[in-house]
Amino acid sequence: MTTAVLAGGVGAAKFLAGLVLAVEPASVTAIVNVADDTILHGLHISPDLDTVTYTLAGAVNPETGWGLAGESWQAMEQLARLGGDPWFRLGDRDLGTHLYRTGRLVDGATLSEVTAEIATGMGLACRLLPATDDSLRTMVTLASGEEVDFQTYFVARQHADEVASIRFDGWPAAGAAPGVLDAIRTAEVVVIAPSNPVVSIGPLLAVDGIEGAVVEARDRVVAISPIVAGAALKGPADRLLQQLGHEPTVVGVARLYAPLCSTLVIDEADADLAGAVETEGVRCVVTDTIMRSPEVSAALARTVLAAGAAGAGDRAPEA
Amino acid sequence: MTTAVLAGGVGAAKFLAGLVLAVEPASVTAIVNVADDTILHGLHISPDLDTVTYTLAGAVNPETGWGLAGESWQAMEQLARLGGDPWFRLGDRDLGTHLYRTGRLVDGATLSEVTAEIATGMGLACRLLPATDDSLRTMVTLASGEEVDFQTYFVARQHADEVASIRFDGWPAAGAAPGVLDAIRTAEVVVIAPSNPVVSIGPLLAVDGIEGAVVEARDRVVAISPIVAGAALKGPADRLLQQLGHEPTVVGVARLYAPLCSTLVIDEADADLAGAVETEGVRCVVTDTIMRSPEVSAALARTVLAAGAAGAGDRAPEA
């Protein structure tokens, strides 16, 4: 069964690590948010791509869910010694990835090409695509009126500020990377990973053509709620939803995603909201979505694929 | 006694490490070659500046004479894992310097400013100036006709190719960095360090104004021969001199430097050539120039300064 997964960082990476246990890895295409990308010290950093890659390679730092296991910090120590501010902590091994990516981009390679090379180098068997090869950057306007880039909001200020609005610099020019729209159109199931709807899935949909392709595939699109019991498992998704006028519950997620997906998978903790979710116009599947281990992720993946196949099946007779 | 030292990499760094033992470090200005600088993986690398800085900070790798002691190589290992070619080995700690420099340059700082910041961060008490803040790059035309940049010739191909000619990309536009010409004009002694005359001292002199200032200061300029007994202590200086039509001996060095300096310091191994050196129109001082330790370097520095002061004294009565 071919799948295409719209992916942010840690939550998506955990889901993908289960998915490649549940199905043939070569049948999986992850379409990854790059609107968190940033240039630091002249290096091109792609946090979500790296989190997904490192996780699928079994190389991720298990304590943080991002970065590499067994990392060292000599470069950051030297940077600090010189008076630099290592607010965005780049480990020594991780720097090897950024050096490789930056060098190849300077040589004229596209982000898609480099991403594929890194995935191969890390031994990945599934396909990883950046959503776009163009520049698309999440910009955050704070309640104070100040606009900052995503990493300043997220890392430097630890997503503590109240957010007034989000925009994507580079929209609407940014076009889908090669293979992205095809992957969505041809996948038997399209998954919206349990990522931040506003700053991970939002910029994916802002790439020219992606939202349209997802809407067209709606019958076989399954979303997994990143909100469990009214809170994000990680990061500021709950607060962001609320600050931007959405309900930070599975019902709010259903309302946001109803145009895109025919099924929303929610956690058992929210079982009592299944009816309210369906009132928003999506089927609701209740299961364990807390991905404590790759085995739990794989079970979640099987449930998601079954729901997607059922959705596609519903449509089939009409076709 | 104020001194200005025209400096390349390892040889100059060793001399400077002795000089700051022999005189008040704050009275020393090192004017460092930056024509070996290169952009790698998006990072601005300044090999000679770093060698001088690390050496003066007592942080240099004693085995190589460049790079940092206690270095690790995690970034290069990751780069290689991804299929990158780590031909220019950047250690993890060393990367911290390149990240700092590149980040500040991206922010709009000049190379002079960043160099001063790095020197301060590394605890240096003398002044370090890049020869120029502009782009000046040593380009090497090989006997095959191919033109390569300096690091390709020097590191990637380990200076094994025969060289047909050298040029400095950026000449004649590259201007002296702030403080450089003043340092040469006001120093009581100007030293041409035992660096490669063609690819270390050559590009320093190619910076607009530097050669003129040195010629004007000739009476108090002392050069130290990088050639000992017909060979370079390190690197390809002997072969380069020969390939470019110069005699790879202290006499050849004297001929090259006679317009610039009034004294050439040569090693005891070449004592029998002292007369031939003086025939080229420079005073010749014979001493131990093999800098096995900072103490030997300091003794060499004292000899050089005495020779320079004597040269300046010779001129004084005429003034």
Side-chain angles (χ1 to χ4, degrees):
Chain A
M1 175 176 293
T2 56
T3 54
V5 181
L6 303 192
V10 176
K14 286 186 175 179
F15 176 76
L16 285 161
L19 181 59
V20 295
L21 295 178
V23 299
E24 177 58 42
S27 69
V28 174
T29 300
I31 300 164
V32 184
N33 173 40
V34 289
D36 300 2
D37 283 20
T38 188
I39 307 288
L40 278 175
H41 316 294
L43 297 180
H44 184 112
I45 320 284
S46 296
D48 283 353
L49 279 169
D50 288 345
T51 294
V52 169
T53 303
Y54 295 165
T55 301
L56 287 170
V60 80
N61 180 342
E63 320 244 311
T64 54
W66 51 268
L68 285 159
E71 190 54 282
S72 59
W73 305 94
Q74 293 231 70
M76 288 296 104
E77 282 163 24
Q78 173 69 4
L79 181 76
R81 180 177 180 179
L82 300 180
D85 180 358
W87 64 274
F88 196 102
R89 307 258 311 148
L90 299 168
D92 298 328
R93 286 187 64 197
D94 191 33
L95 274 170
T97 304
H98 309 317
L99 293 174
Y100 181 80
R101 177 185 294 116
T102 306
R104 292 284 293 130
L105 291 172
V106 168
D107 286 349
T110 63
L111 186 57
S112 298
E113 289 165 348
V114 184
T115 298
E117 291 163 7
I118 293 173
T120 301
M122 294 297 284
L124 266 54
C126 67
R127 189 161 65 135
L128 231 66
L129 302 177
T132 179
D133 283 337
D134 302 327
S135 177
L136 184 74
R137 294 289 177 268
T138 299
M139 302 299 295
V140 181
T141 300
L142 307 177
S144 65
E146 184 187 6
E147 185 176 70
V148 296
D149 64 18
F150 181 75
Q151 297 302 347
T152 298
Y153 161 73
F154 192 76
V155 177
R157 306 194 181 182
Q158 297 181 59
H159 47 76
D161 294 279
E162 194 176 329
V163 171
S165 65
I166 300 278
R167 71 178 180 93
F168 305 114
D169 193 37
W171 178 89
V180 165
L181 299 182
D182 247 25
I184 296 169
R185 287 179 188 134
T186 62
E188 289 166 83
V189 176
V190 176
V191 183
I192 300 177
S195 299
N196 190 312
V198 179
V199 292
S200 295
I201 304 303
L204 280 164
L205 300 170
V207 171
D208 187 38
I210 291 187
E211 182 164 5
V214 173
V215 167
E216 210 169 295
R218 184 178 181 279
D219 287 342
R220 50 199 167 82
V221 178
V222 182
I224 305 162
S225 174
I227 299 289
V228 174
L233 290 177
K234 189 180 168 297
D238 45 0
R239 278 170 289 132
L240 270 179
L241 284 172
Q242 187 146 43
Q243 288 162 11
L244 298 173
H246 307 290
E247 193 181 315
T249 67
V250 291
V251 180
V253 173
R255 202 167 297 148
L256 265 175
Y257 281 167
L260 304 165
C261 69
S262 49
T263 305
L264 180 67
V265 176
I266 67 171
D267 192 71
E268 287 157 355
D270 291 311
D272 57 334
L273 292 171
V277 163
E278 298 216 323
T279 305
E280 300 297 332
V282 294
R283 268 185 304 269
C284 186
V285 172
V286 180
T287 191
D288 182 4
T289 69
I290 315 290
M291 296 179 279
R292 285 170 236 83
S293 69
E295 292 67 36
V296 177
S297 299
L300 173 60
R302 284 187 204 98
T303 303
V304 165
L305 295 187
D314 283 356
R315 187 187 53 168
E318 303 161 19
Chain B
M1 175 177 291
T2 56
T3 55
V5 180
L6 303 192
V10 176
K14 287 187 173 179
F15 175 75
L16 285 161
L19 181 59
V20 296
L21 294 178
V23 299
E24 178 56 43
S27 69
V28 174
T29 299
I31 301 164
V32 184
N33 172 40
V34 290
D36 300 2
D37 283 20
T38 188
I39 307 288
L40 279 174
H41 316 294
L43 297 179
H44 185 112
I45 320 284
S46 296
D48 283 353
L49 279 168
D50 288 346
T51 294
V52 169
T53 303
Y54 295 166
T55 301
L56 287 170
V60 79
N61 180 342
E63 320 245 310
T64 54
W66 52 267
L68 284 159
E71 190 56 282
S72 59
W73 304 94
Q74 293 230 70
M76 288 296 104
E77 282 163 24
Q78 174 69 6
L79 180 76
R81 180 176 180 179
L82 300 181
D85 180 358
W87 64 274
F88 196 101
R89 308 255 314 147
L90 299 168
D92 298 328
R93 285 187 64 197
D94 191 32
L95 275 169
T97 303
H98 309 316
L99 293 174
Y100 181 80
R101 177 185 295 115
T102 306
R104 292 284 294 129
L105 291 172
V106 168
D107 287 349
T110 63
L111 186 57
S112 298
E113 289 164 348
V114 184
T115 298
E117 291 163 8
I118 293 173
T120 301
M122 294 297 284
L124 267 53
C126 67
R127 189 161 65 134
L128 230 67
L129 302 177
T132 179
D133 282 338
D134 302 327
S135 177
L136 184 74
R137 295 289 175 269
T138 299
M139 302 298 294
V140 181
T141 300
L142 307 177
S144 65
E146 185 187 5
E147 185 177 69
V148 297
D149 64 19
F150 180 75
Q151 297 302 345
T152 299
Y153 161 73
F154 193 75
V155 177
R157 306 193 181 181
Q158 298 180 59
H159 45 75
D161 294 280
E162 194 176 330
V163 171
S165 64
I166 300 279
R167 71 177 181 95
F168 305 115
D169 194 36
W171 178 88
V180 165
L181 299 182
D182 246 25
I184 296 169
R185 288 180 187 134
T186 62
E188 290 167 81
V189 176
V190 176
V191 182
I192 299 177
S195 299
N196 190 314
V198 178
V199 292
S200 295
I201 303 303
L204 280 163
L205 299 171
V207 171
D208 188 37
I210 292 187
E211 183 165 5
V214 173
V215 167
E216 210 171 295
R218 184 178 182 279
D219 287 342
R220 49 200 166 83
V221 178
V222 180
I224 305 162
S225 174
I227 299 290
V228 173
L233 290 177
K234 189 180 168 295
D238 46 0
R239 278 169 289 132
L240 271 179
L241 284 171
Q242 188 145 44
Q243 289 162 11
L244 298 173
H246 307 291
E247 191 181 316
T249 66
V250 292
V251 179
V253 173
R255 204 167 294 147
L256 264 174
Y257 282 167
L260 304 165
C261 69
S262 49
T263 305
L264 179 67
V265 175
I266 67 171
D267 192 71
E268 288 158 355
D270 290 312
D272 58 333
L273 292 172
V277 164
E278 298 216 325
T279 304
E280 299 298 331
V282 294
R283 267 183 305 268
C284 184
V285 171
V286 180
T287 190
D288 182 5
T289 69
I290 315 292
M291 297 180 280
R292 286 169 234 84
S293 69
E295 292 67 37
V296 176
S297 299
L300 173 60
R302 284 186 205 98
T303 302
V304 165
L305 295 187
D314 283 355
R315 186 187 55 168
E318 303 162 21

